[in-house]
Amino acid sequence: MARASVDELHAALTEVLGDRASRLEADIEVHSADHSAYLPARPDVVCFPEHAEDVAAVVRCCARMETPLVAYGAGTSLEGHVLPVRGGVSLDLSRMNRVLRVDVDDADCTVQAGVRRKQLNAELAPTGLFFPVDPGADATLGGMAATRASGTSSVRYGTMRDNVISLQVVLSDGRLIETGSRARKSASGYDLTRLFVGSEGTLGVITEVTLRLYPVPAYVVAAVAPFGSLAGRWGWW
C-alpha cells in the first residue's frame, strides 16, 4: 500500500482517537520544533494518546498506511530527536502522565511515559524517596529512557540505563510487550530492557517505565570555586 494522503491519514486516526487526532495549526507548529538548533519540520497530524492501547492503535494505523511516526514527550531535546523530518504523525505522550505505583519498601515506582521528572519527585516527596537522574531539563521519563539520559547526578546514581527496571513498549506492528521484571536479580533471557533504553524510538514507543528510587540525601551541599582569570583556573597544573 502506498503512503496515504494527509486527509486519509487524519480520517483514519480520527476513527481511533476522535478529536485527539489534530491538524490544528497551533498543534502542528508546537510539534515542529524542539530546543535544538535544527530547522523546524512539520508533522501532518498530531496525536494525543491517553493509554497504551491508544498508542498501539495509532502505531497499527501508521503501519497500515505506511506513515512515519515520531514519539514526542516534552520537546526538550537539544539534538532534534522529536522532529518529524518526513512528516507523518507526531505522537504526543504528554497526556499519559499518571504515576501508577510507588512501592516505598522496594524503592521503585511505575509511571506512564509522559510523567515529567519534577512531577514524579513532587509526588515522591512525602515518601522520603526521590528519582535522581537529572538531565537539566524537566523532561518526560519516557523520553529520558528512550534517549538514555544522564546528568550531573549520574556519577553517584548512574544514568537511565542503570535506573530503569522494566518497560512497557508498543512495537512497530502495534504489539504491546513488557520487558524485564521487578526482580532484583535475573539471568534469564535477553536483556530487552537495556535494548530499548537508548534506542531513541527506533525499536518501539515506550508507554510505561518502572524506575529505581533512592532515599533523599540528609544534606545537600553546593560549593563555588572562583578564579580571577582563565589562566588562574589552570594555574594549579
Side-chain angles (χ1 to χ4, degrees):
M1 177 180 178
R3 180 171 171 177
S5 70
V6 176
D7 287 339
E8 291 171 331
L9 175 65
H10 185 239
L13 291 169
T14 299
E15 289 184 13
V16 173
L17 295 181
D19 61 4
R20 289 181 288 128
S22 173
R23 289 179 68 185
L24 294 175
E25 181 60 29
D27 290 330
I28 298 295
E29 183 176 349
V30 166
H31 295 81
S32 297
D34 55 14
H35 290 185
S36 72
Y38 293 106
L39 293 174
R42 291 169 61 87
D44 298 315
V45 181
V46 180
C47 291
F48 297 92
E50 295 178 351
H51 308 281
E53 293 74 15
D54 289 342
V55 175
V58 171
V59 170
R60 285 193 296 269
C61 182
C62 288
R64 185 177 70 253
M65 306 185 82
E66 298 188 1
T67 299
L69 178 148
V70 177
Y72 183 102
T76 58
S77 171
L78 300 176
E79 298 169 341
H81 290 113
V82 299
L83 300 183
V85 294
R86 296 189 178 184
V89 172
S90 180
L91 187 67
D92 187 321
L93 301 169
S94 62
R95 298 187 188 183
M96 294 177 59
N97 59 0
R98 291 187 298 138
V99 176
L100 302 173
R101 180 190 60 82
V102 175
D103 192 313
V104 176
D105 294 332
D106 287 344
D108 64 18
C109 69
T110 301
V111 301
Q112 289 185 308
V115 171
R116 293 198 181 202
R117 179 179 60 83
K118 291 181 180 180
Q119 174 194 346
L120 175 59
N121 280 327
E123 295 199 30
L124 291 174
T127 70
L129 300 172
F130 83 122
F131 182 69
V133 181
D134 180 0
D138 187 20
T140 62
L141 292 159
M144 288 172 62
T147 57
R148 198 164 55 218
S150 60
T152 54
S153 62
S154 297
V155 174
R156 168 66 178 84
Y157 297 103
T159 68
M160 289 300 286
R161 179 190 64 185
D162 307 296
N163 289 290
V164 173
I165 297 173
S166 64
L167 297 168
Q168 182 188 79
V169 182
V170 175
L171 301 181
S172 60
D173 60 0
R175 284 181 295 161
L176 192 64
I177 68 167
E178 307 273 351
T179 74
S181 72
R182 293 176 61 212
R184 292 305 187 191
K185 185 178 185 303
S186 174
S188 62
Y190 296 108
D191 191 349
L192 294 179
T193 301
R194 297 297 178 274
L195 181 65
F196 281 100
V197 173
S199 63
E200 303 194 5
T202 59
L203 301 178
V205 179
I206 295 171
T207 51
E208 289 183 14
V209 189
T210 298
L211 300 164
R212 287 189 175 89
L213 304 176
Y214 297 83
V216 174
Y219 301 98
V220 177
V221 178
V224 177
F227 295 88
S229 67
L230 188 59
R233 165 66 179 86
W234 300 109
W236 62 274
W237 276 16

